[in-house]
């Protein structure tokens, strides 16, 4: 239906580590996505938060354990890359040129402004949000008075953490230019720089 409406940039979400889910289930779901020829897929591991209904019902015990989750995740990465959807972030895969520009903005600390109840912002090196209260927001003479300060954001630690989520990794030249970080402190000793023999990739025998 989306394609008939002229929309080609389509993304699908996939969930992993569901109760009773097997590798065959995952590959079947991924094959469905591939057959639809979508250019982008986001794949997330189910995380059961403490105190939620899933947690109280002991759904966690029905889900694959961590070792099996790791295996499923690795097989998913290989399957998608085999079909031309390259992993560019921990949970995101795309064909070249279809990476999510919206999410890349967050991961690269591009400033953004969110307006309305529950909206979050990162602007001028600061983070703030509005409470999840629509009536209060609508009734306020000055909605900006409802803004809640979340403190500073965008320091080097955050920059490094977010960049390491990406396949492209941490660019030391950028780190030095933006934060004055001495990039040499991150370089391995000379002996460690010698390139070892190529390790077998998890996808080599896919």
């Amino acid at each position: 239906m989306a394609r008939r409406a002229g929309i080609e940039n389509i993304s699908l979400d996939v969930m992993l580590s569901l109760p009773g889910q097997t590798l065959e289930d995952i590959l079947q779901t991924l094959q469905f996505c591939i057959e639809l020829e979508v250019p982008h897929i986001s794949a997330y591991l189910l995380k059961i938060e403490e105190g939620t209904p899933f947690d109280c019902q002991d759904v966690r015990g029905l889900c694959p354990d961590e070792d099996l989750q790791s295996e499923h995740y690795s097989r998913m990465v290989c399957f998608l890359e085999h079909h031309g959807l390259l992993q560019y972030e921990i949970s995101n895969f795309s064909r070249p040129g279809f990476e999510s520009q919206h999410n890349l903005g967050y991961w690269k600390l591009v400033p953004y402004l969110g307006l309305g109840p529950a909206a979050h912002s990162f602007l001028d090196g600061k983070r703030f949000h509005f409470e999840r209260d629509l009536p209060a927001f609508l009734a306020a003479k000055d909605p900006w008075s409802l803004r809640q300060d979340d403190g500073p954001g965008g320091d080097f630690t955050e920059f490094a953490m977010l960049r390491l989520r990406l396949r492209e990794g941490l660019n030391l030249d950028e780190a030095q230019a933006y934060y004055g970080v001495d990039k040499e402190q991150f370089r391995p000793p000379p002996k460690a720089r010698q390139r070892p023999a190529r390790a077998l990739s998890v996808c080599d025998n896919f």
Side-chain angles (χ1 to χ4, degrees):
M1 291 175 64
R3 286 209 170 92
R4 286 200 296 271
I7 301 172
E8 293 295 334
N9 193 353
I10 300 170
S11 179
L12 297 180
D13 283 6
V14 174
M15 288 299 302
L16 306 177
S17 300
L18 300 177
Q21 189 181 48
T22 66
L23 177 60
E24 289 71 24
D25 295 331
I26 295 170
L27 295 179
Q28 184 178 16
T29 298
L30 297 176
Q31 183 62 39
F32 169 79
C33 298
I34 294 300
E35 290 174 358
L36 290 179
E37 299 182 348
V38 295
H40 190 282
I41 291 176
S42 296
Y44 304 102
L45 291 164
L46 174 64
K47 181 180 180 182
I48 299 177
E49 299 288 355
E50 185 176 351
T52 60
F54 270 9
D55 183 43
C56 296
Q57 296 167 18
D58 196 28
V59 173
R60 193 190 316 271
L62 303 175
C63 298
D65 60 28
E66 289 187 1
D67 288 340
L68 202 51
Q69 288 181 28
S70 177
E71 180 186 346
H72 290 174
Y73 179 86
S74 297
R75 290 296 300 274
M76 175 195 66
V77 171
C78 297
F79 183 91
L80 291 177
E81 296 207 354
H82 177 74
H83 289 281
L85 287 143
L86 303 182
Q87 184 181 34
Y88 68 96
E89 192 269 344
I90 290 175
S91 301
N92 288 272
F93 307 77
S94 78
R95 301 192 186 282
F98 284 91
E99 297 83 1
S100 171
Q101 297 305 304
H102 178 93
N103 287 343
L104 281 172
Y106 296 139
W107 297 322
K108 294 189 175 183
L109 289 175
V110 175
Y112 58 90
L113 179 63
L115 300 175
H120 286 68
S121 300
F122 171 54
L123 200 61
D124 297 328
K126 298 178 181 178
R127 296 191 181 277
F128 56 90
H129 74 279
F130 295 94
E131 294 293 339
R132 194 183 298 270
D133 189 340
L134 178 59
F137 190 87
L138 294 176
K141 291 183 179 180
D142 178 15
W144 284 105
S145 66
L146 304 178
R147 186 177 67 175
Q148 303 291 311
D149 183 21
D150 292 326
D155 62 9
F156 173 69
T157 299
E158 186 177 11
F159 170 84
M161 179 272 293
L162 290 172
R163 287 304 178 92
L164 289 173
R165 291 182 61 96
L166 300 173
R167 186 181 188 124
E168 66 187 66
L170 176 62
N171 186 309
L172 296 180
D173 290 328
E174 285 186 340
Q176 187 172 53
Y178 296 163
Y179 299 97
V181 172
D182 178 10
K183 63 182 182 181
E184 293 304 317
Q185 67 178 305
F186 294 98
R187 301 209 182 273
K191 288 185 179 180
R193 296 181 195 178
Q194 296 177 6
R195 191 169 186 175
R198 179 178 175 273
L200 182 66
S201 167
V202 294
C203 297
D204 282 350
N205 294 321
F206 178 75

